[in-house]
């Protein structure tokens, strides 16, 4: 199942509920639980129908797997950002494979380092009085 709930755990919760509620109140609470589940299912299907109605025919054509957050690999995203390769651009040649030793020469860190090295020992660092 989901969320760590297994059939064994649900069975134990059910047995405890039978003992706590007793045979007199159990049918009433079971009926309430059934109505709650039914109303939640109706609300979910109503929301899905409303979204489908408002989005029109594009809703059926949408690839929902592309929007799944579990598919994103932060290491891949950072690697692509550091290589300055546009993932959406159509390339005729395959993108170069970037090893761990590859360095982006236009990175902000290296630009600041070059500016710092360009300053002499007696020159003060640049200061912006309007910066917050």
């Amino acid at each position: 199942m989901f969320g760590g709930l297994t059939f064994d755990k649900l069975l134990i919760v059910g047995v405890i509920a039978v003992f706590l509620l007793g045979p007199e109140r159990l049918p009433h609470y079971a009926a309430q639980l059934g109505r709650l589940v039914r109303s939640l299912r109706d609300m979910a299907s109503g929301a899905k129908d409303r979204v489908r109605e408002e989005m029109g025919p594009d809703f059926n054509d949408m690839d929902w797997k592309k929007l799944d957050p579990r598919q994103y690999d932060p290491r891949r995203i950072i690697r692509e950002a550091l290589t300055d390769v546009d993932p959406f651009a159509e390339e005729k040649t395959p993108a170069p494979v970037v090893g761990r030793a590859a360095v982006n020469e236009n990175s902000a860190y290296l630009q600041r380092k070059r500016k710092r090295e360009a300053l002499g020992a007696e020159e003060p660092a640049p200061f912006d009085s309007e910066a917050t």
Side-chain angles (χ1 to χ4, degrees), residues 82-107:
L82 292 176
T83 58
D84 290 335
V85 175
D86 186 10
F88 301 109
E90 294 182 21
E91 296 183 18
K92 294 179 180 150
T93 60
V97 177
V98 177
R100 289 188 183 267
V103 176
N104 182 1
E105 295 296 327
N106 295 324
S107 70

Side-chain angles (χ1 to χ4, degrees), residues 111-124:
Q111 289 175 2
R112 281 192 310 262
K113 186 176 177 183
R114 275 186 242 128
K115 284 181 185 177
R116 198 171 40 237
E117 290 171 353
L119 289 175
E122 294 137 11
E123 291 183 53

Side-chain angles (χ1 to χ4, degrees), residues 62-74:
M62 189 146 230
D63 185 15
W64 295 104
K65 290 186 180 186
K66 282 179 25 181
L67 301 176
D68 185 11
R70 293 175 291 184
Q71 75 172 348
Y72 296 112
D73 180 20

